[in-house]
Amino acid sequence: MTALELAAAVKLKKLSVSEAVSNYIESIEKNDKKINAFTAVSKEKALSCAKKIQTRLDAGEDISPLAGVPIAIKDNISTEGIETACASKMLGGYVPVFNAVVIEKLEQAGMIVIGKTNMDEFAMGGSSETGAGGAVCNPWDLTRVAGGSSGGSAAAIAAGIAPIALGSDTGGSIRQPCSFCGVTGIKPTYGAVSRYGLIAYASSLDQIGTIGQDIEDCAAMLEIISGSDSVSGRDSTCIIKSPFSFDLDKNNIKNLNGIKIGLPKNYFESGIDSEVKTAVLAAAKELEAAGASIEEFEMPLMDYLIPAYYIIACAEASSNLSRYDGLKYGYRSANGKTLSDVYRLSRSEGFGLEVKRRIMLGSFVLSSGYYDAYYKKALQTRALIKDAYNKLFSRYDMILSPVAPTTAYKQGENVDDPIKMYMGDIYTVSINLAGLPAAALPCGFDKQNLPIGFQLIGDAFSEKKLIDAARVFQSRTTHHLNKPGGFQ
């Protein structure tokens, strides 16, 4: 079942909330050894919450369209009483005493947290291989990566061991795993969802979003988590007052007449696998057949997207991760004899290679001799990228592009080649730099039966328009219904 179908079955008393939760926990226990999607499972707490939700439903309370549905949470989102370690030795054993705002809202809506999902350490990576607990395996081929950094959430949905999940997206970390695992995800506009309780990687880029089996599940959960932070001052960047409201009536899926979609032709000229190109262009044809008009254009500043993103992201990461010093909380080396030793050894032993690489790069571009040459120029480039998107959205309702230039690659293939890994983000990072929304959808498979995804990109706070178009696409295709075998 989709999450919405599961909630409907619970409401009709075809199964109880406890049965729904127990079934998924049993499925995790049977299957997760294969894919390593979870870092923690909260069985007792989830079953206790399930009984409370059942009592509310039995009393006739209309809680939400997703009441009674279990949910998996990425390991960088704070959950009270459940370890939240960002898949890092540095935070191993850290159990928050508070919930992130999104968790507060999900629990108010009657959803039940069943566990935390694996990821790249501190969300730094594009393959979910850098976590302290080992790599996430792609359910379609266990020798391949699940994408990153929200690979655990996407893999759990693909394998059917969780009905719906939360991820975070800093430069494609929801969309790329969705593409690699054949599931659906939404990266909302920056400021649409409170980041309070999201452990920061790059604060001006991070955004919590939804991952599900189809666009309607993702949209229903986005309705719940979006909107203002209920307590003033917790996240000053969360700027919308009311949550999104989408019409998800299956009898009210409209055509796309009058919708103009831009297609960046230089995204398809080089560096993209031919099978990915064919599948994404076929998705554009499907939307055109549904009434949309498709027009090609040249995406500006393409050569500057990756450099600008990684300079800004690493600079912010260097600042955000400076708090992990072995003193206040987190890992502390047992070998430190002096204060300097404690700092140096705790950070050297507690952080993985990729995190240390990004901290070093960020510290370099922020240093006094290089700030103007790198960081300042990257910020200027970011402004140009945002301005370019503003001009594009004066011409188009949305933009259609690939999510990644390839399908899921073999585990270990790019670990020793960070530049190649970073270039895999070429189609996703500009959306975060500009703070825009995007929806990732499966659109086919390559010859090795690996999923291919595309994304629809919109202007700020145009999520409804993107979701309407995505619903049309999924009503006309069956890519999102395909599931990998071998899971119970």
Side-chain angles (χ1 to χ4, degrees):
M1 296 183 188
T2 67
L4 285 168
E5 288 169 346
L6 179 61
V10 168
K11 192 172 183 179
L12 293 171
K13 300 189 185 302
K14 293 182 179 178
L15 78 166
S16 69
V17 181
S18 293
E19 286 172 331
V21 170
S22 295
N23 288 342
Y24 276 103
I25 289 175
E26 288 173 14
S27 186
I28 293 168
E29 291 171 345
K30 287 179 183 177
N31 296 290
D32 194 46
K33 291 177 183 177
K34 298 179 185 178
I35 57 175
N36 197 29
F38 281 83
T39 58
V41 178
S42 181
K43 183 175 181 178
E44 290 74 18
K45 186 174 182 180
L47 290 171
S48 175
C49 289
K51 292 177 182 177
K52 294 175 184 177
I53 300 303
Q54 189 68 62
T55 300
R56 292 172 64 187
L57 289 170
D58 290 344
E61 187 176 344
D62 187 11
I63 306 173
S64 83
L66 288 175
V69 174
I71 181 171
I73 307 295
K74 189 176 178 180
D75 194 32
N76 61 344
I77 298 172
S78 183
T79 44
E80 183 181 359
I82 307 173
E83 184 182 39
T84 303
C86 289
S88 177
K89 182 179 178 180
M90 180 60 80
L91 278 178
Y94 169 62
V95 179
V97 295
F98 71 101
N99 278 325
V101 167
V102 290
I103 304 300
E104 291 177 355
K105 291 186 175 185
L106 291 171
E107 291 186 344
Q108 288 168 5
M111 299 188 75
I112 299 107
V113 175
I114 55 171
K116 307 303 288 290
T117 56
N118 203 352
M119 54 184 280
D120 283 300
E121 184 182 7
F122 280 99
M124 298 183 193
S127 62
S128 293
E129 293 177 282
T130 67
V136 181
C137 301
N138 192 314
W140 291 92
D141 180 344
L142 299 177
T143 67
R144 295 179 182 269
V145 302
S149 60
S150 304
S153 289
I157 303 302
I161 61 176
I164 198 164
L166 280 186
S168 68
D169 194 309
T170 306
S173 294
I174 285 174
R175 290 160 287 153
Q176 190 238 37
C178 285
S179 179
F180 281 8
C181 293
V183 296
T184 303
I186 298 175
K187 180 267 169 196
T189 305
Y190 186 82
V193 177
S194 174
R195 292 182 299 110
Y196 180 78
L198 174 66
I199 297 174
Y201 160 21
S203 303
S204 74
L205 303 168
D206 298 338
Q207 187 60 76
I208 296 171
T210 59
I211 300 175
Q213 298 174 60
D214 62 20
I215 194 65
E216 291 178 354
D217 279 2
C218 293
M221 192 158 65
L222 183 56
E223 286 183 333
I224 293 169
I225 65 172
S226 60
S228 66
D229 190 330
S230 57
V231 179
S232 177
R234 291 200 295 189
D235 179 9
S236 60
T237 65
C238 185
I239 58 175
I240 63 171
K241 294 182 179 179
S242 301
F244 290 119
S245 179
F246 309 115
D247 180 5
L248 300 178
D249 183 352
K250 288 190 178 292
N251 297 316
N252 192 28
I253 298 177
K254 302 173 183 177
N255 59 39
L256 297 179
N257 292 340
I259 298 296
K260 193 171 184 179
I261 299 176
L263 196 67
K265 62 181 180 180
N266 48 334
Y267 277 13
F268 298 92
E269 289 171 354
S270 63
I272 185 171
D273 284 1
S274 60
E275 291 174 283
V276 174
K277 177 180 176 179
T278 299
V280 174
L281 291 177
K285 288 290 185 184
E286 191 65 55
L287 292 171
E288 189 174 38
S293 61
I294 308 291
E295 181 181 301
E296 290 187 340
F297 70 94
E298 193 86 11
M299 177 63 81
L301 302 167
M302 190 169 171
D303 291 342
Y304 303 99
L305 302 181
I306 293 292
Y309 169 78
Y310 275 99
I311 288 171
I312 292 170
C314 292
E316 294 187 17
S318 173
S319 175
N320 280 326
L321 270 63
S322 65
R323 70 192 72 178
Y324 305 109
D325 55 12
L327 296 182
K328 294 184 286 292
Y329 53 88
Y331 174 81
R332 178 186 291 192
S333 174
N335 300 315
K337 304 300 182 186
T338 67
L339 181 60
S340 178
D341 282 347
V342 170
Y343 286 152
R344 178 174 55 83
L345 293 174
S346 296
R347 290 170 67 79
S348 296
E349 296 168 14
F351 289 133
L353 178 61
E354 182 60 30
V355 172
K356 287 187 278 193
R357 181 184 287 127
R358 297 193 190 199
I359 290 173
M360 291 173 67
L361 177 58
S363 299
F364 173 79
V365 300
L366 289 174
S367 61
S368 59
Y370 299 97
Y371 180 93
D372 288 344
Y374 294 103
Y375 185 65
K376 184 178 178 181
K377 280 188 171 62
L379 292 179
Q380 291 169 335
T381 303
R382 182 180 192 171
L384 292 174
I385 292 167
K386 176 61 177 169
D387 184 59
Y389 270 116
N390 288 338
K391 291 175 181 175
L392 288 170
F393 288 121
S394 69
R395 295 163 52 192
Y396 306 114
D397 293 289
M398 60 191 73
I399 294 168
L400 186 152
S401 90
V403 172
T406 67
T407 52
Y409 46 84
K410 291 280 188 180
Q411 291 183 28
E413 186 175 319
N414 293 338
V415 167
D416 297 324
D417 190 350
I419 300 301
K420 186 176 180 182
M421 181 89 74
Y422 299 166
M423 289 306 295
D425 297 332
I426 184 68
Y427 305 134
T428 55
V429 294
S430 64
I431 288 89
N432 298 78
L433 288 168
L436 303 175
L441 312 165
C443 63
F445 293 83
D446 68 7
K447 291 176 183 175
Q448 296 171 300
N449 199 38
L450 296 171
I452 299 169
F454 77 102
Q455 62 182 337
L456 293 171
I457 307 157
D459 201 359
F461 302 107
S462 66
E463 277 84 346
K464 186 178 188 308
K465 194 179 289 185
L466 297 181
I467 288 165
D468 286 345
R471 292 182 74 216
V472 169
F473 179 80
Q474 291 193 335
S475 72
R476 299 170 62 93
T477 60
T478 59
H479 308 297
H480 61 291
L481 301 178
N482 292 304
K483 307 292 179 189
F487 299 96
Q488 303 174 45

